[in-house]
Amino acid sequence: MKTKKALLLLLISISSISVAQCWQSTANGANYTLAIKTDGTLWGWGWNGFGQIGDGTTIDAPTPIQIGTDTDWAHISANGNHNSAIKTNGTLWSWGENNYGQLGDNTNFDKHSPTQIGTDTNWTTVECGTYHTLALKTGGSLWGWGRNYDWQLGNNTFVDSAIPINISPSNSWLKITAGVNFSIAIHNDGSLWSWGDGYRGEMGQGDDQPKKIPTQIGTSKAWTSISATGYHILATKNDNTLWGWGGNELNQIGNGTTADVRIPQQIGADTDWLQVSAGYRHSFAMKQNHTLWAWGWNNSGQLGIGNNTTATVPTQVGTDTNWQTIDGGGNHSVALKQDNSVWAWGQNGQYQLGNGDNNFNFNYPIEVNCSSLGIASFDQHSFFIYPNPSTEVLNIQTPNNLQIDSRIFFDIYGKKVLQDQQNSNSINIQNLSSGLYILQITADGKTFQSKFIKP
């Protein structure tokens, strides 16, 4: 009896600890989000029409769901409706939309779960454009695949490729990024290169002409980071200045105008920028003090500054000084803090914020819960479980006698341990091990989560 009492007290103390601080990295697609946890597992939420969540279905995910059971995911990238990822063993994986061969598996068929690309084990970095993909191997060799109508693969042709092809004979590439129909890379000597379509000035060469092979932008060898998603590019130099070029119709360059920019232009005069992330038509940058800044289109609150007004110049997001990484995405944004918590804001009509409810956009950051996998969309006072703790049967009271569609138990690490589709208001839990759980209940299209203790 004393042992059970001690366990109960321990579990109650655990239940008061935040379980949201378990994320390692994130990646945003058009209307969905992927993330890797600190335990190496892969998760996704949001729109899933092309199987881009990767759970083997095309059903939207209102809250984070685990993709497979592997625990060795190291790097992910998402853009448009497809994704690529690298495992700790250096293998390359892709899934989602594949109409132009952007997955690299030598087919043009969508994949609804991660699919290994070839057998090589020396991939180090992968970045998705809207319809094409770039990657680096050990030693810095540069590869690309997918759509090539605008020469975005950089091989002097406009023929699509459904398998990775070597773009450059140089093995000294350091960083890569890809937009809708163009590519940008930094050489390990700090020089900046572009190829693909340039009708919005994306090539940074001062004109609108495409570049069929990697072509150097200017003569500077001081570039340190780059980011692209839509039609504009953000970058930093080794003096910590901030630069931008390309499409600017909604102030996404951040220079106070709406004119496209055809050569890299410094944004402001600050010299303390650390990191950049270009969204589809909005932008983010982080300073060395780990404050977060945003500008550009803000119709869905994707800037996270508390309103829906376009910002013409960098504007601080709140007052926090512990941001770690930021991903601009489509019309929603996701960021990681130094405590390994993930925050999301912006458009949410397809559950891309992961809070279980697609009725409201958010123009300020909301936390993506790691273990409870969502925020209750029911009235907490009219929906509850009892008795709690319980050892044999758990009862559920629903508001207005809603019919239950599913019940899922997650452990404190967010792993699904029990699921059933019965619509009764009681659950037999005798076979559930002692521990602290999150019970997620779906009824009438709404989601409710509650902590539960099995002594």
Side-chain angles (χ1 to χ4, degrees):
M1 184 67 180
K2 289 183 179 180
T3 302
K4 284 191 174 182
K5 184 177 180 181
L7 174 61
L8 178 58
L9 290 174
L10 175 61
L11 292 173
I12 291 174
S13 66
I14 291 174
S15 71
S16 65
I17 299 174
S18 172
V19 290
Q21 301 171 350
C22 70
W23 302 101
Q24 175 178 295
S25 60
T26 63
N28 272 5
N31 296 296
Y32 66 97
T33 305
L34 301 176
I36 297 175
K37 285 188 178 181
T38 53
D39 63 2
T41 55
L42 182 62
W43 298 71
W45 58 93
W47 188 54
N48 197 25
F50 294 96
Q52 61 266 47
I53 298 299
D55 65 338
T57 76
T58 55
I59 301 171
D60 296 348
T63 57
I65 59 174
Q66 188 172 348
I67 303 169
T69 59
D70 292 347
T71 59
D72 56 350
W73 297 100
H75 171 74
I76 50 173
S77 178
N79 198 339
N81 294 306
H82 79 287
N83 322 290
S84 288
I86 297 173
K87 289 189 174 184
T88 55
N89 62 4
T91 56
L92 179 66
W93 300 72
S94 296
W95 64 100
E97 187 178 24
N98 195 29
N99 50 335
Y100 295 105
Q102 59 262 49
L103 299 188
D105 68 337
N106 203 26
T107 77
N108 292 93
F109 302 106
D110 299 345
K111 299 297 183 299
H112 298 165
S113 59
T115 302
Q116 187 171 352
I117 308 305
T119 59
D120 290 349
T121 58
N122 59 343
W123 299 100
T124 59
T125 302
V126 63
E127 294 296 327
C128 296
T130 305
Y131 299 111
H132 72 292
T133 307
L134 302 177
L136 298 178
K137 285 187 176 182
T138 302
S141 63
L142 177 61
W143 300 74
W145 57 94
R147 191 176 188 184
N148 196 28
Y149 184 78
D150 295 299
W151 295 282
Q152 54 264 57
L153 298 188
N155 64 340
N156 201 27
T157 78
F158 54 87
V159 179
D160 299 345
S161 177
I163 59 172
I165 58 174
N166 192 202
I167 293 176
S168 167
S170 171
N171 287 329
S172 302
W173 297 98
L174 186 63
K175 296 183 179 181
I176 49 177
T177 191
V180 173
N181 47 13
F182 65 91
S183 305
I184 309 286
I186 296 177
H187 198 267
N188 68 359
D189 65 1
S191 58
L192 187 64
W193 300 69
S194 63
W195 60 99
D197 194 23
Y199 85 104
R200 301 290 302 277
E202 301 97 316
M203 295 296 94
Q205 308 285 349
D207 56 32
D208 298 331
Q209 299 303 306
K211 298 296 178 285
K212 300 178 182 180
I213 59 173
T215 304
Q216 188 172 349
I217 301 175
T219 59
S220 174
K221 293 187 177 181
W223 300 99
T224 55
S225 71
I226 46 173
S227 177
T229 294
Y231 297 93
H232 73 292
I233 302 94
L234 301 176
T236 58
K237 286 187 175 182
N238 58 17
D239 60 0
N240 301 313
T241 52
L242 177 64
W243 298 73
W245 65 99
N248 193 31
E249 74 279 10
L250 289 164
N251 302 102
Q252 57 263 48
I253 300 300
N255 62 354
T257 77
T258 56
D260 292 349
V261 178
R262 288 171 170 76
I263 58 172
Q265 181 180 111
Q266 186 174 347
I267 303 170
D270 291 350
T271 58
D272 58 348
W273 297 103
L274 180 65
Q275 181 188 135
V276 290
S277 178
Y280 183 61
R281 288 175 175 169
H282 64 295
S283 302
F284 290 97
M286 187 189 307
K287 289 195 171 185
Q288 291 177 329
N289 62 3
H290 291 276
T291 56
L292 186 61
W293 299 72
W295 60 98
W297 201 25
N298 196 28
N299 66 320
S300 299
Q302 58 263 51
L303 298 188
I305 57 177
N307 60 49
N308 290 57
T309 303
T310 295
T312 61
V313 296
T315 303
Q316 189 170 351
V317 180
T319 59
D320 290 347
T321 59
N322 63 339
W323 297 102
Q324 181 72 13
T325 61
I326 174 68
D327 197 319
N331 291 323
H332 75 291
S333 310
V334 175
L336 180 72
K337 286 188 175 181
Q338 291 175 326
D339 63 359
N340 296 116
S341 62
V342 162
W343 299 73
W345 58 95
Q347 193 175 81
N348 196 32
Q350 293 170 304
Y351 303 106
Q352 50 265 60
L353 302 189
N355 69 333
D357 189 340
N358 67 343
N359 292 317
F360 303 99
N361 298 335
F362 287 83
N363 57 25
Y364 56 88
I366 63 171
E367 191 169 6
V368 179
N369 200 301
C370 184
S371 182
S372 65
L373 307 179
I375 297 173
S377 57
F378 290 139
D379 182 351
Q380 299 279 350
H381 300 290
S382 59
F383 196 131
F384 62 91
I385 58 177
Y386 66 95
N388 188 9
S390 178
T391 58
E392 296 183 357
V393 176
L394 185 64
N395 299 305
I396 307 168
Q397 177 175 305
T398 64
N400 302 318
N401 295 316
L402 290 177
Q403 179 173 316
I404 295 174
D405 300 317
S406 69
R407 296 90 61 89
I408 307 174
F409 284 91
F410 298 89
D411 63 20
I412 61 173
Y413 301 104
K415 181 180 179 181
K416 185 190 301 183
V417 295
L418 177 65
Q419 177 176 3
D420 68 65
Q421 303 295 327
Q422 298 181 21
N423 58 13
S424 68
N425 285 64
S426 64
I427 309 174
N428 187 327
I429 56 172
Q430 294 184 58
N431 294 328
L432 203 61
S433 301
S434 298
L436 172 66
Y437 299 94
I438 300 298
L439 173 60
Q440 176 177 289
I441 303 165
T442 301
D444 196 29
K446 299 179 181 179
T447 302
F448 169 81
Q449 291 90 22
S450 179
K451 292 175 184 174
F452 164 69
I453 295 173
K454 170 74 180 290

